[in-house]
Amino acid sequence: MNTLSYKTLEEIGYKGFLQPKDAPEKVLQFGEGNFLRAFVDRFFDMAAEKTGWCGKIALVQPISGGYGFADGLNAQDALYTVCVRGRENGGVVDETRVISSASRCLNPYREADYAAIMELAASDDLEFIVSNTTEAGIAYDPECAATDQPPASFPAKLAQVLHARWAAKKPGVIILSCELIDHNGAELLRIVKQYVADWGWEGEFAEWLEHDCTFCTTLVDTIVPGRIRDPKEAAAVAERLGYEDPFLAVREPFQMWGIQGSEELAAKLPFTAAGLPGVFVTPDVTPYKKRKVRILNGSHTGFVPGAWLAGFDIVRDCMHDDVVSGFMGKLLNDEVIPTLAADLDVEDCKRFAAAVESRFDNPFIDHQLLSICLNSTAKWRARDLPTLLDFVASEHRLPSCLVTSLAALIAFYTTGFEGREDDGLHLRRADGCAYTAQDDAYVLDLYAAHHADGDAALVHAVLTDGQMWGQDLTDVEGLESAVVAALGTIRAEGTKAAFAACL
């Protein structure tokens, strides 16, 4: 079977949309991974089909490494397949699309590719720069120099690209940062300007960055598991498609891309002009981030450690259990959503919560609970503690599901304790299954020191740890005794019984 390429698609009589192979490169993208290719690049591809906007994306490998990815993707004309698989509107979605929005993949650590990037920087066609270099990507590295080819950090690379564009007297561009950090666009601009100062570059260039370029803060949300891991299933998909594609990426149907900006910006973005679902421009993405963190991420962290202790292994199975899914539903509808009413439309939040439940029930993704439990302490602090505190402040009572969730979290780090090793706490759940709880060292040390305490002493040690929570949680009236009671239920009857008690 032939590998995907324009020639292969012609030979098999492919009838789907394809951009012309020689379409102008209008986008420079730092990041070549599954997420950007299945999310952002798919948006550009669909916009091209719906609006006639014609433009290609030059992908840039953001970190040093081998050339295998870039060379492999280029060998198939930078074409690849995205499979959208999951549940939506009560039905199962399983569809594929050949993405033709990419032109080539460049590795800046290869001299010719670095030169090609700098040439593209000064191109009349360039309109957008996109990035997703992970949360660690938008970071200042003082070792980077203006003469590095290329510098190590992504912001330093971007500074070089934009300086070359300014020096060529070209107009500014729109920069769409997709890294999962707060105010990603503003932070990226701050670091780029730091390099301008460090390197003694022109003040006029700094002004051009500020006034001619648009650094957008964005919020992205979709799950991209990546490739199909079952060899038999992968072979069956290839047979159905009529070609081999080692760069095929799987993603869920749900998508949200909130871009902070003006109506003028919205008019310049081809995917907003196309009216594609899930992408929108808003004056402030902050409320939408709050919605995502508290509903999507907060529900994950809120029920998963307890569900693991109850004997569940993957998220989907939890959605088919009346007690666990009921607990998650009550947590969201009775405790989380009321705390969002001041900033967001409640009905919209309810629709988002319903979509979350559908996403968790994806028949194509075996999302392991234990992998979600990694670093659960920081996750609970960021995702669930603010809801608990807001709920208490507004309702003047404790939220029972979140109290039970906190007790389950403590139980997760102490059930069947067998020892503290370099890789984490070695534990065993009630059914005898061994597991390792991984977290920051100080968290593991605290639980190792107090695992043999009685429930009351253990809960007191955890709730009073300021490093863990940023405050003394025993100051929340009634919380300590309520967590002790819920933990007692978990110890005596199991987490599922504690979840059921909340219903």
Side-chain angles (χ1 to χ4, degrees):
M1 187 179 297
N2 290 329
T3 301
L4 175 61
S5 66
Y6 278 96
K7 180 181 179 183
T8 297
L9 292 178
E10 183 180 359
E11 289 175 350
I12 66 174
Y14 181 74
K15 301 300 183 183
F17 171 78
L18 291 173
Q19 286 206 58
K21 192 174 181 180
D22 59 352
E25 291 178 320
K26 295 184 178 181
V27 186
L28 180 62
Q29 178 173 294
F30 287 88
E32 81 293 20
N34 288 324
F35 177 82
L36 282 180
R37 291 190 297 107
F39 184 74
V40 171
D41 300 352
R42 181 172 175 268
F43 270 127
F44 274 111
D45 196 64
M46 295 178 74
E49 180 179 15
K50 289 183 176 294
T51 68
W53 180 86
C54 185
K56 289 273 193 171
I57 305 166
L59 313 183
V60 177
Q61 181 175 314
I63 58 176
S64 61
Y67 304 130
F69 186 98
D71 290 345
L73 187 62
N74 292 336
Q76 55 187 59
D77 299 329
L79 297 171
Y80 60 90
T81 313
V82 170
C83 295
V84 179
R85 313 178 96 186
R87 293 189 184 277
E88 189 175 45
N89 300 324
V92 174
V93 176
D94 186 6
E95 60 187 37
T96 59
R97 179 185 180 96
V98 173
I99 305 301
S100 58
S101 56
S103 57
R104 52 181 169 164
C105 186
L106 300 166
N107 187 327
Y109 297 87
R110 181 159 43 190
E111 185 176 351
D113 284 7
Y114 178 83
I117 292 167
M118 303 312 290
E119 180 182 356
L120 181 55
S123 165
D124 289 327
D125 296 319
L126 187 64
E127 298 178 7
F128 304 99
I129 295 177
V130 177
S131 71
N132 188 2
T133 55
T134 77
E135 293 90 321
I138 299 183
Y140 173 70
D141 180 355
E143 300 300 317
C144 292
T147 54
D148 291 344
Q149 295 189 8
S153 82
F154 157 59
K157 291 184 181 75
L158 181 60
Q160 287 186 342
V161 164
L162 294 174
H163 189 260
R165 186 165 185 79
W166 170 80
K169 295 181 169 53
K170 302 298 182 182
V173 292
I174 295 170
I175 296 101
L176 298 161
S177 308
C178 300
E179 290 83 359
L180 295 177
I181 65 169
D182 288 338
H183 313 294
N184 45 28
E187 181 65 5
L188 180 56
L189 173 60
R190 184 191 70 79
I191 298 173
V192 168
K193 291 177 73 174
Q194 180 66 56
Y195 285 120
V196 174
D198 289 351
W199 298 342
W201 278 351
E202 302 85 350
E204 294 86 351
F205 172 54
E207 288 293 315
W208 180 84
L209 285 174
E210 190 79 50
H211 300 293
D212 290 58
C213 292
T214 304
F215 284 75
C216 300
T217 286
T218 84
L219 177 66
V220 296
D221 184 12
T222 197
I223 297 171
V224 183
R227 61 184 176 85
I228 298 173
R229 301 184 184 280
D230 184 334
K232 290 184 178 179
E233 185 181 5
V237 170
E239 186 67 30
R240 174 162 56 90
L241 295 174
Y243 56 80
E244 296 281 356
D245 180 8
F247 296 93
L248 179 148
V250 178
R251 53 158 288 184
E252 66 167 343
F254 180 88
Q255 58 186 20
M256 188 194 77
W257 193 6
I259 301 168
Q260 190 165 294
S262 63
E263 292 182 3
E264 182 182 4
L265 172 67
K268 296 178 180 178
L269 302 173
F271 28 80
T272 55
L276 297 177
V279 61
F280 58 92
V281 175
T282 176
D284 185 8
V285 299
T286 305
Y288 296 95
K289 177 167 186 181
K290 188 176 182 180
R291 182 185 72 172
K292 174 183 180 289
V293 169
R294 294 203 183 187
I295 294 180
L296 173 67
N297 305 122
S299 61
H300 244 173
T301 303
F303 81 84
V304 162
W308 165 262
L309 291 178
F312 294 89
D313 295 317
I314 61 175
V315 172
R316 181 175 61 252
D317 289 346
C318 296
M319 296 300 98
H320 292 259
D321 183 89
D322 290 342
V323 171
V324 180
S325 63
F327 176 83
M328 188 189 86
K330 182 172 182 180
L331 185 152
L332 289 177
N333 291 295
D334 294 0
E335 299 179 5
V336 176
I337 291 175
T339 69
L340 301 174
D343 298 319
L344 291 159
D345 178 78
V346 169
E347 293 305 313
D348 180 62
C349 289
K350 289 180 178 178
R351 286 190 292 271
F352 186 79
V356 165
E357 185 171 354
S358 180
R359 295 169 72 182
F360 288 174
D361 192 24
N362 192 323
F364 299 100
I365 301 177
D366 292 341
H367 203 167
Q368 300 293 323
L369 299 184
L370 203 55
S371 68
I372 298 170
C373 290
L374 179 67
N375 296 327
S376 281
T377 303
K379 290 177 180 176
W380 207 94
R381 174 178 172 174
R383 302 170 175 182
D384 294 293
L385 180 57
T387 300
L388 185 146
L389 297 176
D390 285 353
F391 186 93
V392 170
S394 63
E395 303 293 328
H396 308 292
R397 59 187 176 89
L398 292 168
S400 62
C401 292
L402 283 168
V403 168
T404 301
S405 169
L406 181 53
L409 184 72
I410 295 172
F412 176 80
Y413 287 95
T414 54
T415 295
F417 185 88
E418 295 183 346
R420 163 78 159 95
E421 304 293 342
D422 290 342
D423 62 343
L425 301 176
H426 287 232
L427 304 150
R428 196 172 295 274
R429 67 185 183 186
D431 63 1
C433 178
Y435 66 99
T436 301
Q438 297 177 312
D439 212 313
D440 290 326
Y442 78 90
V443 173
L444 303 177
D445 290 342
L446 183 142
Y447 281 114
H450 293 278
H451 76 276
D453 292 356
D455 288 346
L458 171 63
V459 169
H460 184 79
V462 172
L463 266 56
T464 56
D465 190 282
Q467 185 177 4
M468 193 175 288
W469 309 115
Q471 64 188 93
D472 184 343
L473 290 185
T474 62
D475 291 339
V476 179
E477 185 177 356
L479 180 61
E480 183 173 6
S481 60
V483 173
V484 171
L487 183 58
T489 301
I490 292 170
R491 303 288 200 208
E493 304 175 51
T495 313
K496 196 168 177 180
F499 281 0
C502 296
L503 305 179

